[in-house]
């Protein structure tokens, strides 16, 4: 008999939090009747400045089956938190989950760009990706390198050797779920190998928190700039001081206000 669920949650706190976040977002999406086109990532929306979708697409699931599959795999991959002796552990898990979310999203956009610009495959301009699969496939890959003897348990009864799990799952999902994002899953595998082989390394709590802060800033400003959400408190009002002389640059409609206090050695013609 396995351990009670409560003890397993305590052993995988970060994994449990990620599952809780994704489940809560799925519930909110269902309650508000939000479609994948409102939160998903596509080349077209990214080109329009909706960069915030790199984050929302990763944590959003529209189908309950999609959610259950990803969270079941993620729960099994939570063993990473218990492998501190291999240089992994909870801090490593959180740090590189952040890397996987961002880099896999950027990589899939890069793949779309290459296919559209080089091979004129316009299909990838509008295809929209949602789901945590990129992160799940990334952790499958990392674990297959760091702990190849591990098993990936799905739905509590299906067990796969972790060493083959990334590509087995890639082929399996492509056949069973034709609308699954092959490039999204592949991007997770590529970033996962880059992390496992040390090509991407050096993450610490300091860099992770710094990265998270910059992501939050970029997320908010991207939301505002794209018009998806209006943050009134970020509105910058133009202030004109009538006591300052204005100099207008012809052609670009910009006005520079200059002090009338004379400056030695400078002449304004």
């Amino acid at each position: 008999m396995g351990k009670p669920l409560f003890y397993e949650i305590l052993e995988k706190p970060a994994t449990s939090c990620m599952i809780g976040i994704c489940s809560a977002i799925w519930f909110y999406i269902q309650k508000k009747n939000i479609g994948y086109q409102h939160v998903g990532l596509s080349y077209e929306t990214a080109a329009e400045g909706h960069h915030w979708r790199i984050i929302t697409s990763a944590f959003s699931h529209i189908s309950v089956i999609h959610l259950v599959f990803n969270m079941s795999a993620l729960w099994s991959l939570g063993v990473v938190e218990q492998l501190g002796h291999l240089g992994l552990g909870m801090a490593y898990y959180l740090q590189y989950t952040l890397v996987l979310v961002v880099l896999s999203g950027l990589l899939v956009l890069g793949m779309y760009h290459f296919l559209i610009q080089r091979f004129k495959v316009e299909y990838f301009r509008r295809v929209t990706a949602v789901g945590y699969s990129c992160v799940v496939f990334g952790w499958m890959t990392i674990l297959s390198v760091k702990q190849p003897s591990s098993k990936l348990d799905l739905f509590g009864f299906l067990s796969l050797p972790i060493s083959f799990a990334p590509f087995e799952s890639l082929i399996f999902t492509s056949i069973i779920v034709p609308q699954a994002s092959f490039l999204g899953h592949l991007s997770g595998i590529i970033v996962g190998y880059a992390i496992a082989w040390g090509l991407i390394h050096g993450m610490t709590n300091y860099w992770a928190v710094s990265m998270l802060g910059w992501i939050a800033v970029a997320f908010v400003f991207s939301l505002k700039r794209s018009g998806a959400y209006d943050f009134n408190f970020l509105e910058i009002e133009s202030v004109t001081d009538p006591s300052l002389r204005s100099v207008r640059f012809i052609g670009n409609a910009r006005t520079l206000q200059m002090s009338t206090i004379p400056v030695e050695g400078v002449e304004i013609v």
Side-chain angles (χ1 to χ4, degrees):
M1 183 179 293
K3 296 180 181 179
L5 180 60
F6 176 74
Y7 290 104
E8 290 200 44
I9 291 174
L10 292 179
E11 291 178 347
K12 305 175 183 178
T15 303
S16 301
C17 286
M18 292 300 174
I19 292 174
I21 290 170
C22 289
S23 300
I25 291 173
W26 174 83
F27 181 79
Y28 180 82
I29 285 173
Q30 298 303 311
K31 185 177 180 181
K32 297 294 183 180
N33 197 29
I34 298 173
Y36 69 90
Q37 69 275 13
H38 298 118
V39 293
L41 177 66
S42 70
Y43 183 84
E44 199 168 59
T45 54
E48 293 171 355
H50 294 228
H51 305 123
W52 50 270
R53 290 174 180 263
I54 292 175
I55 305 301
T56 59
S57 63
F59 292 94
S60 301
H61 297 80
I62 305 303
S63 164
V64 66
I65 296 176
H66 189 198
L67 175 71
V68 171
F69 178 85
N70 278 349
M71 296 304 102
S72 174
L74 186 63
W75 178 255
S76 179
L77 293 167
V79 69
V80 170
E81 295 189 64
Q82 303 168 357
L83 298 177
H85 61 285
L86 294 178
L88 304 180
M90 186 175 70
Y92 182 95
Y93 179 86
L94 290 171
Q95 292 162 5
Y96 286 97
T97 288
L98 186 62
V99 173
L100 282 166
V101 169
V102 176
L103 291 191
S104 59
L106 293 175
L107 181 57
V108 77
L109 286 176
M111 290 178 178
Y112 289 162
H113 180 79
F114 178 76
L115 290 170
I116 292 167
Q117 301 299 326
R118 182 68 177 82
F119 297 102
K120 310 301 180 184
V121 186
E122 292 298 314
Y123 165 77
F124 290 106
R125 188 177 295 277
R126 290 173 297 276
V127 65
T128 303
V130 291
Y132 205 67
S133 302
C134 55
V135 180
V136 169
F137 275 80
W139 280 118
M140 279 186 202
T141 305
I142 293 169
L143 199 58
S144 71
V145 174
K146 300 287 189 179
Q147 185 79 343
S149 60
S150 297
K151 298 283 186 179
L152 177 67
D153 296 318
L154 297 174
F155 310 111
F157 62 87
L158 181 61
S159 183
L160 299 173
I162 195 66
S163 55
F164 300 108
F167 293 102
E168 284 178 346
S169 300
L170 181 65
I171 296 170
F172 175 78
T173 53
S174 298
I175 295 173
I176 302 301
V177 188
Q179 68 270 29
S181 176
F182 179 87
L183 292 182
H185 296 169
L186 183 61
S187 68
I189 292 174
I190 293 172
V191 177
Y193 274 123
I195 293 171
W197 290 340
L199 300 177
I200 299 173
H201 64 281
M203 282 294 287
T204 62
N205 288 337
Y206 171 80
W207 287 114
V209 171
S210 299
M211 184 178 176
L212 183 61
W214 282 111
I215 289 171
V217 171
F219 183 86
V220 171
F221 276 93
S222 175
L223 272 175
K224 181 173 177 60
R225 186 178 181 184
S226 65
Y229 193 88
D230 187 21
F231 294 92
N232 293 323
F233 64 90
L234 290 178
E235 199 69 41
I236 301 175
E237 297 183 0
S238 177
V239 178
T240 303
D241 187 345
S243 67
L244 298 181
R245 187 176 296 172
S246 294
V247 178
R248 182 172 297 277
F249 293 88
I250 305 300
N252 60 10
R254 293 183 179 179
T255 300
L256 172 66
Q257 290 193 326
M258 305 180 65
S259 172
T260 57
I261 300 175
V263 180
E264 293 184 3
V266 177
E267 290 183 350
I268 299 177
V269 178

